[in-house]
Amino acid sequence: MNVMPGYVREEGMGEQNTLLLSVTDKKRLLREMLYARRFEERCYEAYVERKIGGFLHLYSGQEACAHGVLEAARPGFDYVITGYRDHIHAIKCGADPREVMAELYGKETGSSRGRGGSMHIFDVKHRFMGGYALVGGPFPLAAGIAKGIKMKGGEEISICFLGDAANNQGTFHESLNMAKIWELPVLYVCENNLYGIGTRIDRSTAVLDQYKRAAAYDIPASQADGQDVEAVYAAAVKAVEHVRSGNGPYFLELKTYRYRGHSMSDSNAYRSKEEEREWLKRDPIHILRNRLIDANALTLDEFKAMDQEILDEIENEVVRFAEESPEPAVEDLEKYVLAEDDPYVRGGRV
Amino acid sequence: MAQMRYWEAIRRAHDEELAHDPMVIAMGEDIGVAGGTYKATQGLYEKYGPERIIDTPISENGYTGIGIGASFVGVKPIIEIMSVNFAWLATDQIVNTAAKVRYMSGGQLSAPIVIRSPGGTAHQLGAQHSARMEKVFMGVAGLRVVTPSNPRQAYGLLKSAVRCQDPVFINEHELMYNMKGEVPDEEYFHPLEGSEVARPGRDVTLLGYNISVHWCLQAADVLSREHGIEAEVLDLYALSPLDREGIKASVARTHKAVVVEEAEAPVGVGAEVMAILNEECFFELDAPPRRVSAANVPIPYNRTLEKAAIPNARDVVQAVLSLFPGKGRN
Ligand SMILES: Cc1ncc(C[n+]2csc(CCOP(=O)(O)OP(=O)(O)O)c2C)c(N)n1
Ligand SMILES: [Mg+2]
């Protein structure tokens, strides 16, 4: 699978290379992506220590996708929804990393009060509308959120991040069709990491370039290098602008790679070490770091210091918070199943 | 009180709720321009327009998911699924999302949607248009399931379901849309929990819901007239949660129970009621409770076979008589 560095491809537009972010923004993004990497790798350790249970899907390698897109959007204002690989999307929307980690630990202080787990991070106050574990489930939910936005006449857009393999679900086709006929303000972002668990895209999917599939519903689409946050950003600026201006849905494909197995129980036996090595050469954090160093905006020492600061922060604040937080009370087992004291259950207005 | 047909009652509830709250919408196949397969949304497209009365493509899981997503941000969708058999396609979004989102988000999000759909066996529609799904949905934590047996309930349950913060599945019936009954002239919200005594009696409790309430009422007439048995008919308009207290109270009066359902017996409403009878009423019962259910078959097309598959009032009478040794002549 060829990836052209730093490219954005749009049907009929040729390729472009647009660098739009300021140095300050780039440095902040570098820090955020490094934070994301360290956060995920710390989850890995906690999982090995059996502090985290269940399925754990890590985002390492794909950081430029969520960061580039949401940098172009308005996190905390726009609605974001995704699948089970959701920690970093939540954090970029504004979720407190301590609460995300506490959720993975199953604690009462977790973002979903320990009832959700890694695959079900929610932070509705920051309009992170959740991580969902059924592949393809969020496609219609995102369109529905967009329907609500449209009814209320807001400026928000709805952004849905899902994987390449999700596009083979019926919900993909049903949702894109309805998003188009109803001109809904929804941006579908496909993080194409070339695999659905252990099945490589060419063995599961007739069309390898996912952005081309949007044409079936007459939805404008583009493809960008998902390892280069600036390329993602450039593509996303256009995509977001399209949707926010009331032009209906947009589909953005980002070519990327996950470093870890699909989840912690996956040994990656289905792909070659050589392929992994090739992708590691295009690490999103290194690409941005080197670019900043080349531009004399950063030194390697500064980068290392930043890294250490992040490691300390995650250890001393995030992990510690999760470890020290209380478990949910067993008496509360049946809380949150249904609304509490809804008057219409008794047929009456209060 | 006005006499109204079941479909008119549902239409009236739609109209009032749409007028009451601009965030209420209706969506489904052929509900707008075409006016609805059973006329439940007739005239509303003209009144409220295409943004609120939405003709959907034939994408049950997709548009149900869109309704759920919209409900996350304050929209109150009333989703019509043309026939409950098609709701199987939407079970993913109903069960995996609507029912679970409040819990798995720790109470941050909920999906206050209403899904209405006719289930049941009508007139020779064949196996894929005659099924019932209430047993599936009532087994799912986080969903409410109600099922109106008359126009008053059809009106009041939909009104409450729209206002309620939980996802509600309303099980209607293809054979009941033309049924007439009294509906209060003033606005009325029917409780989403509980049960109603449709006919008081002292000798046996007949537990029915939706169409089977009518079989129970017919059977009660026959039992009273021909056998001197006074049956109490308990209308279980709420299937989830089931009204344990109401069941207990009725059986404490009658000491005998027969559960009547249109669906096949395994893992159904009857099975669940039997469990409640066992757990709550064991020492009240004078005779083993009985179930009257459909044959355990996909519903046949042939008229005679179809009739044989679905219970009726006669079956209820027989089941009751079996609890009264010495009564009945067969
Ligand atoms: C409906 C459904 N089918 C199967 C699964 C099991 N499953 C979980 S993730 C996954 C692969 C999805 O791959 P993709 O959409 O490319 O996302 P990625 O994990 O690569 O980010 C599968 C098959 C599931 N969770 N839900
Ligand atoms: Mg993938």
Side-chain angles (χ1 to χ4, degrees):
Chain A
M1 229 71 55
N2 288 326
V3 179
M4 266 159 285
Y7 75 101
V8 178
R9 182 191 291 158
E10 245 177 310
E11 212 65 83
M13 294 282 286
E15 275 161 23
Q16 318 169 6
N17 203 326
T18 334
L19 307 177
L20 300 159
L21 291 158
S22 74
V23 168
T24 320
D25 287 337
K26 287 186 218 176
K27 281 175 129 170
R28 178 178 43 78
L29 271 177
L30 180 66
R31 189 182 198 283
E32 287 176 7
M33 294 203 296
L34 186 58
Y35 190 101
R37 176 73 55 85
R38 293 304 189 191
F39 184 94
E40 294 290 78
E41 295 305 314
R42 188 61 183 82
C43 294
Y44 182 100
E45 281 173 39
Y47 187 91
V48 173
E49 293 166 12
R50 296 184 179 275
K51 300 260 171 74
I52 297 176
F55 286 130
L56 177 67
H57 308 82
L58 300 176
Y59 199 56
S60 299
Q62 301 185 204
E63 293 87 351
C65 299
H67 285 93
V69 170
L70 292 177
E71 194 63 25
R74 293 169 65 183
F77 176 73
D78 293 326
Y79 293 92
V80 173
I81 193 164
T82 187
Y84 39 82
R85 208 178 292 286
D86 57 353
H87 316 161
I88 301 308
H89 301 81
I91 291 172
K92 179 69 179 167
C93 285
D96 184 339
R98 294 178 307 166
E99 290 179 11
V100 176
M101 187 63 85
E103 185 60 33
L104 307 187
Y105 274 63
K107 297 297 182 72
E108 180 68 20
T109 55
S111 25
S112 303
R113 301 188 177 280
R115 271 68 164 184
S118 163
M119 301 187 281
H120 307 304
I121 306 292
F122 285 78
D123 192 338
V124 174
K125 69 178 178 299
H126 291 106
R127 298 196 167 166
F128 180 69
M129 307 303 275
Y132 298 79
L134 276 282
V135 171
F139 283 122
L141 301 175
I145 290 169
K147 169 71 187 170
I149 293 169
K150 199 173 175 188
M151 280 180 70
K152 295 197 250 185
E155 290 236 314
E156 303 94 329
I157 66 168
S158 172
I159 306 176
C160 175
F161 290 88
L162 284 175
D164 46 296
N167 298 345
N168 294 327
Q169 281 287 23
T171 48
F172 168 84
H173 301 276
E174 295 183 8
S175 305
L176 265 65
N177 181 50
M178 286 182 270
K180 179 65 188 183
I181 57 175
W182 298 331
E183 292 292 334
L184 300 178
V186 55
L187 169 59
Y188 287 109
V189 180
C190 173
E191 300 191 39
N192 182 355
N193 61 11
L194 308 178
Y195 290 87
I197 308 187
T199 305
R200 201 182 151 96
I201 188 166
D202 51 86
R203 298 180 58 234
S204 67
T205 307
V207 179
L208 299 188
D209 287 322
Q210 295 305 295
Y211 79 108
K212 290 183 179 165
R213 302 176 82 178
Y217 301 100
D218 201 17
I219 292 176
S222 60
Q223 186 187 52
D225 175 4
Q227 300 310 90
D228 181 344
V229 72
E230 295 181 68
V232 174
Y233 175 78
V237 165
K238 289 188 152 191
V240 166
E241 164 67 16
H242 175 94
V243 177
R244 208 184 298 286
S245 319
N247 299 312
Y250 193 94
F251 187 92
L252 173 62
E253 176 188 7
L254 306 172
K255 287 234 167 158
T256 185
Y257 202 72
R258 65 168 153 72
Y259 293 164
R260 294 274 178 200
H262 167 73
S263 70
M264 293 294 289
S265 49
D266 171 16
S267 64
N268 272 338
Y270 44 81
R271 60 189 202 187
S272 69
K273 291 286 157 263
E274 190 194 335
E275 178 182 291
E276 290 180 2
R277 270 197 303 276
E278 280 308 304
W279 278 93
L280 278 168
K281 288 183 195 157
R282 304 208 62 256
D283 182 87
I285 295 169
H286 287 174
I287 289 176
L288 183 58
R289 180 198 64 186
N290 295 346
R291 212 172 271 157
L292 285 166
I293 290 175
D294 290 347
N296 292 321
L298 183 81
T299 67
L300 198 55
D301 283 341
E302 281 168 353
F303 178 80
K304 283 181 180 158
M306 185 203 300
D307 193 15
Q308 191 55 51
E309 193 186 290
I310 288 170
L311 286 168
D312 292 344
E313 188 182 322
I314 289 174
E315 210 51 49
N316 300 334
E317 289 175 33
V318 175
V319 173
R320 186 150 158 212
F321 176 81
E323 302 239 348
E324 290 176 357
S325 286
E327 298 264 324
V330 175
E331 303 86 79
D332 289 339
L333 176 65
E334 292 178 8
K335 214 171 160 179
Y336 310 126
V337 176
L338 294 169
E340 266 170 49
D341 292 328
D342 190 308
Y344 292 97
V345 166
R346 297 183 303 280
R349 287 177 277 191
V350 214
Chain B
M1 290 241 195
Q3 283 278 325
M4 207 177 249
R5 291 187 191 276
Y6 196 87
W7 71 263
E8 290 172 317
I10 296 169
R11 190 200 164 282
R12 175 178 155 196
H14 273 95
D15 194 8
E16 287 178 8
E17 291 305 299
L18 284 154
H20 166 76
D21 180 354
M23 295 309 277
V24 173
I25 62 172
M27 50 198 297
E29 294 159 32
D30 288 316
I31 68 154
V33 173
T37 310
Y38 300 97
K39 300 192 279 195
T41 50
Q42 200 179 54
L44 300 179
Y45 179 88
E46 291 74 14
K47 191 164 173 187
Y48 297 101
E51 289 292 323
R52 295 183 66 200
I53 308 296
I54 303 167
D55 281 314
T56 64
I58 307 161
S59 306
E60 284 79 6
N61 200 38
Y63 65 72
T64 300
I66 288 180
I68 294 167
S71 79
F72 289 173
V73 292
V75 181
K76 304 272 303 192
I78 307 171
I79 301 166
E80 175 175 296
I81 298 185
M82 193 183 257
S83 156
V84 88
N85 299 265
F86 317 150
W88 283 107
L89 281 85
T91 47
D92 166 39
Q93 288 295 340
I94 297 170
V95 176
N96 283 315
T97 311
K100 295 176 182 170
V101 73
R102 179 188 290 276
Y103 199 85
M104 68 190 198
S105 68
Q108 291 181 71
L109 261 191
S110 63
I113 54 160
V114 180
I115 298 162
R116 348 172 347 262
S117 188
T121 301
H123 295 295
Q124 290 190 271
L125 301 182
Q128 294 187 327
H129 280 79
S130 305
R132 292 83 26 177
M133 278 190 79
E134 58 275 13
K135 66 161 82 176
V136 174
F137 293 126
M138 70 185 275
V140 177
L143 281 182
R144 293 186 175 277
V145 180
V146 295
T147 182
S149 68
N150 57 49
R152 174 179 55 86
Q153 289 181 1
Y155 165 75
L157 286 170
L158 177 52
K159 296 268 297 178
S160 294
V162 172
R163 304 277 180 110
C164 173
Q165 286 307 303
D166 299 317
V168 182
F169 175 77
I170 305 183
N171 178 64
E172 297 168 2
H173 199 293
E174 297 202 14
L175 290 181
M176 291 169 70
Y177 287 106
N178 279 323
M179 167 191 183
K180 275 192 178 163
E182 290 197 331
V183 179
D185 295 329
E186 67 281 10
E187 190 171 43
Y188 167 65
F189 294 89
H190 195 84
L192 297 172
E193 291 184 5
S195 59
E196 278 177 355
V197 175
R199 178 194 196 279
R202 57 171 190 270
D203 297 326
V204 59
T205 298
L206 306 181
L207 301 111
Y209 64 94
N210 190 258
I211 200 167
S212 76
V213 169
H214 301 283
W215 306 335
C216 291
L217 288 169
Q218 288 160 21
D221 278 350
V222 174
L223 288 164
S224 171
R225 223 173 33 240
E226 298 180 12
H227 304 282
I229 295 171
E230 291 307 321
E232 174 150 305
V233 177
L234 194 63
D235 180 338
L236 304 173
Y237 60 78
L239 295 180
S240 181
L242 271 167
D243 184 19
R244 277 180 177 261
E245 292 308 314
I247 294 171
K248 226 159 82 176
S250 177
V251 174
R253 290 190 285 272
T254 64
H255 309 290
K256 290 189 178 61
V258 173
V259 197
V260 187
E261 62 193 328
E262 193 196 298
E264 64 278 46
V267 206
V269 178
E272 197 53 38
V273 171
M274 284 297 215
I276 293 174
L277 293 171
N278 189 46
E279 288 163 2
E280 308 276 0
C281 312
F282 193 83
F283 296 105
E284 291 285 358
L285 287 164
D286 287 346
R290 292 281 310 266
R291 265 190 302 184
V292 176
S293 313
N296 198 13
V297 297
I299 298 304
Y301 163 71
N302 174 274
R303 184 82 186 120
T304 309
L305 293 181
E306 183 187 62
K307 276 188 158 169
I310 299 299
N312 57 30
R314 257 195 321 280
D315 298 326
V316 180
V317 170
Q318 291 304 317
V320 171
L321 291 179
S322 76
L323 303 182
F324 292 84
K327 297 251 185 194
R329 280 172 298 279
N330 47 314

